Amino acid sequence: MLKQINFNMIRLFKYSSLLTLFIVLNYSCSSNEAEPETPLSNAKAITSFSFVNPAVTGTIDENTHTIYIAFPAGTNLTSLAATFATTGAKVTVENVQQISGTTKNDFSKAIIYTVIAEDGSKQDYTITPPSSADILGFTFEDADQEIYWELKGLKEGVNTIYNAPMSVNFDTGFPILPVGAEVTAAGSNEESDYNTTGFTFTVTSADKKTKKTYTIKIPVYNKDTNPYGIYTPEQLLDPTYNLKESFKLMNDITMPPVDGTEYPLGPNYANQGWTPIGDFYSFVGTIDGNGHVIKNLTIKRGSSEDIGFISVLGAKGVIKNLGLVSVNVTGGGNVGALVGNNKGGTISHCYSTGNVKLEDFSVQNHVGGLVGINNDENAKPSKLSNSYSTANVTAGNNSYAGGLVGYNYLCILQNCYATGSLTGTYKNGGALIGKNACEITNCYATGKVVTGGGLVGFNFHWSAAPDCFWDIQTTGQSTSDDGGKAVGKTTAEMQTGTPYNSTWTSANWKFTAGKYPTLVGVGGQ
């Protein structure tokens, strides 16, 4: 009996131990599951603003984002530390981070506190003493009385402003004044005034002790020397209606979400997102990104062809110095983040990140991370140079998919790379180019390819890829259909930090040990 009891106790202990172990393991696995990410906050307000010595509290106007401060007479305003509270992640003045109660600034003039939210968005607050006649800005309104263009950083005297946006309504221009200040103008506030002698106005401070005179001169548009400026998402529409003109981005642009909310950004933006520039018509002007980026570009047109930021780039079209960040682009044929169909145009110093997808509804079944198809127009080949893509590409049956270009038919292509992955049931895929029909030089690829080539998926018209390379480990491919001149290397060999050969020069490439080469003069790397 005693032996039986002991045996039962041992068996009970054994099973209870296993149960305890199972519970612990199960809890451990559950606790290691990824927590859902909390969206970054866009809060960016200053909720209080004051000084200890002298004891002064500012009045915050959230409508104009200004803070009015009445200092006692005789206060030395040139070195004061403000005490403030904010809902943002940090506060800066002229890019210097501010510590509440510690960082000193000159409050004898208008000063701008910039609140930066967790998500990176910003809000400016302008602080002005009663003696300030410093202009805070100058705005032009559109037909709906919304700000179409705002000039900042104006100084006393003549201010010559280049790169005005297209269709500025000059007679709606007016200054943003310090609290209590008044303005008198000398001019008719018409376009001819701004373009010739300039529009002049005088600001008198709230205490009537200071006067300053400003002149704004805006030279007329010139395609080569003074292209139209693009400052807002709405102004990105201007090239669509002016396919032969020149444009220049003047700041980074974040596109609104495609979530059912309508924005004045073309037909059915709420559900389909961006309408490609030209929408099947060739853009033959110039867009200079000026080193800036367009963020969160979304296009949902799964049954349409020639889909990208630009639909068709014509033989005289030029796109340069532009980054597309976090794109989400879907089309039915000739799909690329930047250009759907490049028909003889020139692309240089551009890049894309995010996701590009081909729904495969068309015979034009080409998709690339940057360009859908590089073609020619009137025997003029396209040009693509010093550009890259990290976008992940997804394609369906019978399609040609490339990390950079879907189908490179007639194109001078050099000094480019791609690192995005290729997935789907595509017919031919290459980490750089899906289908290639011309010579490419000084390019490389590293993106994962489920099936296809490490550099080129399908060689057409006896094309070649001299001085080109791919990573056989990261692509998962030991071969490339490129005429036999491209070379597959291991990751270590690709990351030696030295030029791959004499054609890989420091004018185009930067080499760093332990990393893949990066392009000189191209952002986002």
Side-chain angles (χ1 to χ4, degrees):
M1 177 65 72
L2 181 60
K3 291 181 180 180
Q4 181 66 37
I5 292 173
N6 288 340
F7 176 76
N8 289 336
M9 290 178 66
I10 291 171
R11 185 169 61 179
L12 177 62
F13 175 78
K14 175 182 176 181
Y15 290 152
S16 63
S17 298
L18 289 173
L19 178 61
T20 302
L21 179 62
F22 173 77
I23 292 172
V24 170
L25 289 174
N26 187 58
Y27 174 79
S28 177
C29 292
S30 299
S31 64
N32 287 333
E33 291 181 359
E35 294 290 336
E37 293 186 7
T38 302
L40 296 177
S41 172
N42 63 356
K44 45 186 177 291
I46 290 179
T47 55
S48 67
F49 199 92
S50 62
F51 297 86
V52 175
N53 187 20
V56 175
T57 299
T59 301
I60 302 172
D61 186 339
E62 274 298 330
N63 293 322
T64 61
H65 295 105
T66 59
I67 302 175
Y68 176 72
I69 302 169
F71 291 104
T75 302
N76 181 1
L77 304 178
T78 59
S79 183
L80 293 178
T83 299
F84 57 86
T86 178
T87 61
K90 65 178 181 179
V91 177
T92 63
V93 172
E94 295 182 347
N95 295 320
V96 175
Q97 184 165 354
Q98 302 294 294
I99 306 301
S100 177
T102 300
T103 310
K104 294 183 178 180
N105 291 291
D106 182 0
F107 287 89
S108 65
K109 58 184 179 181
I111 186 171
I112 296 176
Y113 275 63
T114 300
V115 184
I116 304 174
E118 288 181 349
D119 66 359
S121 57
K122 300 177 181 180
Q123 178 60 61
D124 289 342
Y125 284 82
T126 303
I127 294 93
T128 58
S131 60
S132 174
D134 294 322
I135 190 70
L136 308 183
F138 196 93
T139 66
F140 296 93
E141 294 180 345
D142 61 15
D144 296 323
Q145 295 185 333
E146 295 182 356
I147 293 176
Y148 184 76
W149 185 32
E150 181 174 354
L151 309 179
K152 296 182 178 181
L154 299 182
K155 298 179 180 179
E156 188 176 13
V158 178
N159 297 265
T160 302
I161 311 296
Y162 293 93
N163 306 118
M166 181 174 281
S167 303
V168 175
N169 188 359
F170 283 93
D171 61 6
T172 64
F174 62 91
I176 302 175
L177 303 176
V179 176
E182 297 178 349
V183 62
T184 55
S188 59
N189 204 34
E190 294 180 355
E191 184 172 358
S192 58
D193 255 6
Y194 289 98
N195 294 160
T196 54
T197 59
F199 176 69
T200 300
F201 57 94
T202 298
V203 177
T204 303
S205 64
D207 62 5
K208 312 300 182 185
K209 296 180 179 180
T210 306
K211 288 187 178 182
K212 290 185 178 181
T213 298
Y214 303 83
T215 297
I216 298 175
K217 188 173 183 179
I218 302 175
V220 297
Y221 164 80
N222 182 284
K223 184 174 183 179
D224 299 315
T225 62
N226 188 28
Y228 291 120
I230 294 176
Y231 299 80
T232 66
E234 291 79 11
Q235 290 165 7
L236 281 174
L237 290 172
D238 290 343
T240 288
Y241 306 113
N242 301 274
L243 297 172
K244 298 180 180 181
E245 308 302 339
S246 294
F247 301 88
K248 187 175 185 178
L249 263 70
M250 303 306 294
N251 46 248
D252 293 348
I253 293 177
T254 300
M255 303 300 288
V258 180
D259 58 3
T261 303
E262 281 293 356
Y263 297 91
L265 286 170
N268 201 17
Y269 183 91
N271 300 306
Q272 295 184 332
W274 178 251
T275 298
I277 290 175
D279 202 12
F280 305 114
Y281 291 97
S282 294
F283 177 76
V284 293
T286 297
I287 296 179
D288 181 359
N290 196 24
H292 293 294
V293 301
I294 299 172
K295 301 177 182 179
N296 303 334
L297 178 76
T298 299
I299 304 175
K300 298 180 179 181
R301 285 175 170 77
S303 60
S304 300
E305 296 180 1
D306 297 340
I307 297 300
F309 174 63
I310 297 171
S311 178
V312 179
L313 184 63
K316 294 182 179 181
V318 175
I319 311 298
K320 59 184 179 180
N321 308 318
L322 177 62
L324 299 178
V325 176
S326 300
V327 303
N328 183 10
V329 176
T330 301
N334 292 340
V335 184
L338 183 66
V339 176
N341 188 351
N342 184 11
K343 297 180 67 174
T346 299
I347 301 171
S348 67
H349 297 83
C350 294
Y351 67 95
S352 63
T353 75
N355 296 283
V356 180
K357 184 178 181 181
L358 175 71
E359 291 285 11
D360 207 18
F361 281 101
S362 165
V363 295
Q364 304 294 332
N365 48 359
H366 315 117
V367 57
L370 192 71
V371 178
I373 180 172
N374 278 319
N375 213 326
D376 72 326
E377 187 171 61
N378 300 323
K380 179 185 177 182
S382 302
K383 295 180 180 179
L384 175 58
S385 65
N386 299 76
S387 300
Y388 72 91
S389 177
T390 68
N392 298 314
V393 176
T394 303
N397 297 329
N398 300 316
S399 58
Y400 296 92
L404 187 75
V405 179
Y407 183 10
N408 201 46
Y409 177 58
L410 284 173
C411 180
I412 300 171
L413 197 157
Q414 57 190 5
N415 299 317
C416 294
Y417 70 88
T419 65
S421 64
L422 265 63
T423 57
T425 56
Y426 49 81
K427 180 179 180 181
N428 285 286
L432 187 77
I433 298 172
K435 183 179 180 180
N436 188 43
C438 64
E439 184 173 288
I440 59 176
T441 58
N442 295 1
C443 297
Y444 77 86
T446 66
K448 178 68 176 178
V449 180
V450 178
T451 58
L455 191 80
V456 175
F458 179 65
N459 184 8
F460 187 60
H461 279 182
W462 303 280
S463 57
D467 306 312
C468 293
F469 304 86
W470 81 92
D471 190 322
I472 60 177
Q473 292 176 282
T474 58
T475 63
Q477 303 299 321
S478 59
T479 61
S480 171
D481 191 11
D482 53 48
K485 292 188 177 182
V487 177
K489 291 176 173 286
T490 65
T491 301
E493 291 171 333
M494 295 280 288
Q495 297 182 350
T496 59
T498 57
Y500 294 150
N501 60 32
S502 61
T503 66
W504 289 64
T505 66
S506 59
N508 296 302
W509 296 96
K510 180 181 178 181
F511 304 93
T512 305
K515 297 182 179 180
Y516 297 106
T518 55
L519 288 164
V520 174
V522 185
Q525 302 176 95

